[in-house]
Amino acid sequence: MEPRGIGERDPANAISLMLTRRCNMTCAHCSVESGPKIREEPSNAELIDFVHSAADAGITFIQITGGEPMLREKLVLELLKAAKKRGMGSNLSTNGFWGRSRAKAWSKVATLKRAGLGRITVSYDRYHAEFQGAEPALNIASAAEWFDVPLNINVTRVADDPELEGLVAAFEKRRHLKMRFYDVQLVGRARELPLAEIRGETSGFCNACSSPSVTDDGRMTACNGPAYFLESESPLVIGSLRDTPLHSLLEAHSADTILETIRRAGPERLLRELKDAGVADELGIRKHHSGLCDLCIDINSNPAAVAVLRERFQGSRYEAELTARRLVIKAGQSHGSLKLAYVNGMGAARFWMNAGAGRTTEWAREAEQIIGRADYDWRQGAEYIAQCGVARGLVPVLDHPELKRWAPTFFIQRAREAGVKEGLLELAQREVLRRLSSVLSNIDEQGVLLKGGALMALDAFGDLPPGKTSRRAAGDIDLLVKPEAAESIRNHLLRAGFAGNKTEARTGPHHLAPVSLNGVFVELHTSIMPELWRLPEGEMLKRSRPVAHLPSISTLDPEGMMLHALVHSTAHLYSYGLRAAWDCAWLLERFPAVDINRLLEWVGSLAMPRSFWVPARVLGKETVSFPRGLMQHAPSDERQRRLERVAEVRLFSALEGAFDLNPISKNGFFLMLYDSVLGRARHLTSLLGHDEREARRSAAERARKADPDGNHSAISIQIRQGMNHWRQYQRAASR
């Protein structure tokens, strides 16, 4: 059941197929009242024939549902093989009972993928938790990541759900999967649930009506689940395959004006039409509804209301309105603004940046289109916001009615806690900066702050004009010092009360092992970035600017900080992209007179100019307003576009440190950034350096932990991961 949101498939060419209503669970919210006592179900031959008929009718994606379809596991495999032969994509919706042991989960996911499965959706929420814990879903998640099978966890929620925090926490470290949050709808067995628990949200168009469903008794319904028990006279019941050909039912589903209205404008548009006709009360349409499905069923179960709607929806005026809505939604689908990746990526980034900049009008207007979607991953959003250090900038909107309308309580709590932590950490960081400046002054040395620490110093100690865009929090403090003085400065810091091991080895060729004070880590850099990136560091440092009240500390100029932020984003393969976007937006607001010519000169001197242009072009689409005079020099060839499509996938969702990245796929991607054979040769030579050896060691350790049975070597695991990443790259680049 998908009352709101659009998945990755094209819903116009997708269909759901219910293999059985039988299930090994009797969840209290089940819309089709599945359970173990169901006996009648379609034959294998009928269902296999249906797959071929669907392919003949132009269906390109099939969703296998139940009940619990894996109770007919052999049939599932046959259907997947048939769908694969006919070129159809597929998704399996399951409660995941078959993943109760790690070995079985891995074996079955491997078998499902070989048969042709493209995606798995596991339902797990407070109702499924009564029958099994999170372990089966976690085992399936582990296997899905290994075999590169996309995985969704579908959660149905009630108002102020107190159990949601614990449910979400179980999947905290599983970044491969996506979580989707649907409202419980009072249909089927859920009609017995207390009305007070239901959120009661009725707005928005309904994507469920975009993809019809074939039930276990051979009927076609407008959506998967909620329409199951309706009478045949309802517009939500299209007809029966037993007396009407599939292609005719598909045409009827597509052409029905009531269903088209639900798809394009939602059931609230039906209610408005009845009210405009002055007959809503007269026909007995209830004034209050528990949710989207309740409203839809109330209207579409009323023959008189349906007759009024059919009469009013005739004519060119209404057809023009539907056509306009259809074009808007189609444009959103083709340009990505209604796709899952956009909602949880660039769309969410723009949304939260508007909030952080105080643009509450734009923010509130976009709320329903982004966070009002069932496929917005609140778990990932909370983690991403906290990890990128932007929670404090969002604190002013956490009590906004538009956020509270959609956000689960756990999200608001996590964001608020992260914001408080960021504030407390900054107080400690300010004191550390004062101590750093004092130590450097005593030994007549200078330091240049980098990244978030630089922005924090400018904001806290500098004399900048006020701006609306909030600054994101700094993590560690990165301080660039003269290479020949680095060890001496570190020892002076240790003598001044900073904690650290005096003999600890460097953690990279361009920085020493960190020291800490009051929980704040300080990393002394001997260069801004590793040599392979060929930043014009000499020129950048010549233009460094002193920080007021910190006499021995300076920062790069705005052009240098922007160059560093974007190239650093590429070096981390576009992890934490919201940080780069937030930093660039803050810099451009505080320093609007960017020297474009100097920045272009520096970009041209890079080993890989695309390491700047790829994130700049992606961030410039919707999140950062770079100067037009700068962006007109960006490359726009096919290779650039392919690299940008990969960056779009990762920039606003990936949370990986440099040593977390697979060295094979990471360096394979970096090689594509070069425009010359000589540059690629230099990069391959650089892989022999300490930094890359350390990255490979760290990645190997992570790979061993992911090994399902302990029999694979680290290199074989990394090769497999690299192949998975390459397939993901191909999918992203070909979008």
Side-chain angles (χ1 to χ4, degrees):
M1 175 171 70
E2 294 186 339
R4 188 179 290 106
I6 292 182
E8 296 287 40
R9 69 189 189 281
D10 179 358
N13 296 314
I15 198 166
S16 295
L17 179 61
M18 183 186 289
L19 307 193
T20 180
R21 201 155 62 91
R22 182 162 51 97
C23 185
N24 53 346
M25 300 181 187
T26 52
C27 296
H29 70 316
C30 183
S31 61
V32 296
E33 300 183 11
S34 296
K37 296 182 180 180
I38 304 294
R39 291 291 176 263
E40 294 184 6
E41 53 193 18
S43 69
N44 291 17
E46 286 178 295
L47 294 169
I48 292 171
D49 286 345
F50 173 82
V51 170
H52 292 291
S53 298
D56 292 339
I59 295 295
T60 59
F61 189 95
I62 187 165
Q63 177 158 294
I64 296 174
T65 71
E68 174 48 55
M70 285 295 279
L71 293 177
R72 304 183 73 178
E73 183 178 340
K74 290 183 179 179
L75 172 61
V76 169
L77 296 174
E78 289 185 58
L79 294 172
L80 290 174
K81 291 173 183 176
K84 183 180 180 181
K85 282 185 178 180
R86 299 302 303 269
M88 301 167 72
S90 57
N91 177 69
L92 173 68
S93 293
T94 175
N95 62 33
F97 78 95
W98 44 274
R100 285 177 178 164
S101 78
R102 180 179 173 87
K104 282 188 176 181
W106 283 67
S107 172
K108 292 187 186 298
V109 170
T111 303
L112 289 165
K113 182 174 182 179
R114 283 196 299 270
L117 182 64
R119 180 181 295 273
I120 301 174
T121 296
V122 177
S123 297
Y124 182 71
D125 44 42
R126 63 191 308 186
Y127 306 105
H128 291 89
E130 293 181 17
F131 299 91
Q132 66 184 20
E135 196 64 25
L138 291 170
N139 289 336
I140 293 171
S142 175
E145 182 173 10
W146 176 262
F147 293 107
D148 189 29
V149 178
L151 174 68
N152 293 330
I153 301 292
N154 279 7
V155 180
T156 50
R157 59 171 175 154
V158 296
D160 299 320
D161 196 332
E163 298 177 30
L164 211 51
E165 169 71 34
L167 291 170
V168 168
F171 300 95
E172 209 68 65
K173 297 181 181 179
R174 295 294 179 182
R175 290 175 180 164
H176 174 71
L177 60 84
K178 303 296 182 186
M179 299 192 80
R180 302 192 294 184
F181 296 82
Y182 296 100
D183 292 346
V184 171
Q185 302 291 329
L186 294 188
V187 293
R189 196 177 287 128
R191 288 174 295 186
E192 304 301 320
L193 294 175
L195 183 61
E197 291 185 356
I198 308 305
R199 291 186 67 242
E201 188 60 59
T202 61
S203 66
F205 67 89
C206 180
N207 187 50
C209 268
S210 296
S211 303
S213 177
V214 173
T215 64
D216 60 327
D217 55 4
R219 293 172 297 138
M220 178 180 286
T221 57
C223 52
N224 181 27
Y228 186 87
F229 293 107
L230 296 185
E231 299 295 332
S232 59
E233 293 77 15
S234 170
L236 301 180
V237 179
I238 315 303
S240 175
L241 287 166
R242 294 194 170 99
D243 50 41
T244 307
L246 176 61
H247 67 86
S248 297
L249 293 175
L250 291 171
E251 289 174 3
H253 178 270
S254 176
D256 190 291
T257 54
I258 289 180
L259 299 184
E260 184 71 350
T261 301
I262 297 169
R263 285 190 284 267
R264 308 306 172 190
E268 281 192 345
R269 180 65 180 82
L270 302 180
L271 180 61
R272 194 180 83 203
E273 196 70 27
L274 293 174
K275 287 182 176 180
D276 289 348
V279 298
D281 293 338
E282 175 187 328
L283 296 177
I285 303 300
R286 287 183 277 115
K287 293 184 182 298
H288 302 287
H289 297 89
S290 64
L292 206 69
C293 295
D294 186 30
L295 172 59
C296 187
I297 290 172
D298 186 28
I299 293 173
N300 286 291
S301 299
N302 188 318
V306 170
V308 170
L309 291 172
R310 295 223 181 274
E311 181 179 352
R312 290 181 66 86
F313 288 165
Q314 292 178 359
S316 58
R317 177 191 64 83
Y318 190 70
E319 181 57 36
E321 178 187 332
L322 275 185
T323 299
R325 289 182 179 274
R326 187 182 303 120
L327 290 174
V328 169
I329 291 178
K330 186 175 182 180
Q333 292 168 342
S334 62
H335 293 103
S337 60
L338 290 178
K339 289 184 179 291
L340 176 66
Y342 178 86
V343 170
N344 287 286
M346 189 180 296
R350 184 181 70 176
F351 179 78
W352 296 121
M353 287 185 70
N354 280 338
R359 295 187 286 269
T360 53
T361 301
E362 296 94 326
W363 182 82
R365 186 173 60 244
E366 293 181 343
E368 185 172 313
Q369 285 72 38
I370 300 295
I371 61 172
R373 295 274 296 273
D375 44 19
Y376 180 69
D377 190 338
W378 291 101
R379 176 207 60 142
Q380 175 187 295
E383 180 183 16
Y384 192 69
I385 286 168
Q387 291 291 324
C388 288
V390 301
R392 188 169 47 157
L394 301 179
V395 168
V397 301
L398 293 181
D399 289 320
H400 194 287
E402 209 47 40
L403 180 61
K404 287 193 166 184
R405 176 186 177 190
W406 302 110
T409 303
F410 81 83
F411 173 87
I412 295 175
Q413 290 175 339
R414 289 187 180 189
R416 197 182 303 280
E417 289 169 2
V420 171
K421 288 179 181 178
E422 289 172 11
L424 294 174
L425 178 61
E426 180 167 318
L427 293 176
Q429 289 170 333
R430 292 187 186 195
E431 179 57 30
V432 168
L433 287 180
R434 294 188 186 96
R435 294 281 292 275
L436 282 172
S437 181
S438 175
V439 170
L440 291 172
S441 296
N442 290 338
I443 59 176
D444 197 25
E445 292 289 350
Q446 294 285 320
V448 180
L449 284 170
L450 305 173
K451 299 186 288 189
L455 272 61
M456 186 263 287
L458 288 173
D459 199 31
F461 299 99
D463 186 19
L464 296 179
K468 290 185 178 180
T469 301
S470 63
R471 173 181 44 77
R472 60 102 173 167
D476 300 343
I477 291 178
D478 297 285
L479 186 70
L480 176 66
V481 298
K482 290 186 296 188
E484 62 272 18
E487 290 287 356
S488 173
I489 292 172
R490 187 174 187 274
N491 289 334
H492 276 90
L493 291 175
L494 293 175
R495 287 195 289 272
F498 285 75
N501 187 336
K502 185 175 181 178
T503 60
E504 189 172 355
R506 299 171 70 102
T507 51
H510 67 301
H511 52 72
L512 308 186
V515 296
S516 65
L517 180 68
N518 298 330
V520 176
F521 284 88
V522 178
E523 197 169 63
L524 296 180
H525 281 237
T526 53
S527 62
I528 299 175
M529 288 185 69
E531 173 61 25
L532 72 92
W533 299 98
R534 275 197 5 226
L535 262 67
E537 297 198 7
E539 292 298 316
M540 294 167 72
L541 292 174
K542 283 181 185 177
R543 297 185 176 277
S544 61
R545 300 180 174 190
V547 178
H549 310 295
L550 297 176
S552 297
I553 289 179
S554 58
T555 69
L556 300 175
D557 69 358
E559 293 81 5
M561 286 189 280
M562 198 176 305
L563 180 71
H564 184 203
L566 294 176
V567 177
H568 187 269
S569 172
T570 296
H572 286 251
L573 205 57
Y574 311 118
S575 302
Y576 304 97
L578 187 57
R579 284 183 185 174
W582 211 281
D583 289 355
C584 288
W586 189 88
L587 286 166
L588 288 168
E589 186 175 288
R590 296 307 196 284
F591 305 97
V594 173
D595 189 330
I596 294 174
N597 291 329
R598 185 164 72 247
L599 188 52
L600 286 172
E601 180 183 343
W602 287 352
V603 171
S605 71
L606 297 172
M608 299 165 273
R610 294 181 196 267
S611 64
F612 174 89
W613 289 120
V614 170
R617 289 253 304 180
V618 175
L619 297 181
K621 289 180 179 179
E622 296 194 32
T623 57
V624 182
S625 297
F626 290 107
R628 182 185 296 270
L630 172 68
M631 299 310 294
Q632 67 185 14
H633 295 276
S636 59
D637 57 330
E638 178 56 29
R639 180 147 59 101
Q640 176 75 15
R641 289 193 291 271
R642 289 173 68 86
L643 292 169
E644 287 174 19
R645 289 194 287 269
V646 176
E648 285 175 3
V649 171
R650 289 184 55 83
L651 262 170
F652 299 118
S653 59
L655 290 171
E656 297 168 303
F659 290 162
D660 296 333
L661 298 169
N662 180 283
I664 298 173
S665 50
K666 176 185 73 172
N667 287 293
F669 183 82
F670 289 164
L671 289 172
M672 289 185 284
L673 292 168
Y674 287 94
D675 290 320
S676 70
V677 174
L678 179 59
R680 296 188 185 99
R682 285 174 176 165
H683 183 88
L684 291 172
T685 303
S686 75
L687 300 183
L688 302 175
H690 174 277
D691 205 30
E692 287 301 320
R693 291 201 308 273
E694 179 64 19
R696 289 193 292 273
R697 184 203 63 76
S698 177
E701 184 62 30
R702 286 170 56 86
R704 290 189 193 97
K705 292 179 180 178
D707 188 2
D709 52 22
N711 295 328
H712 299 84
S713 66
I715 187 62
S716 69
I717 296 172
Q718 290 175 346
I719 290 172
R720 185 182 189 93
Q721 288 176 339
M723 291 173 62
N724 287 345
H725 293 163
W726 176 249
R727 285 191 288 269
Q728 292 165 14
Y729 161 78
Q730 289 179 310
R731 288 199 295 266
S734 63
R735 286 190 310 161

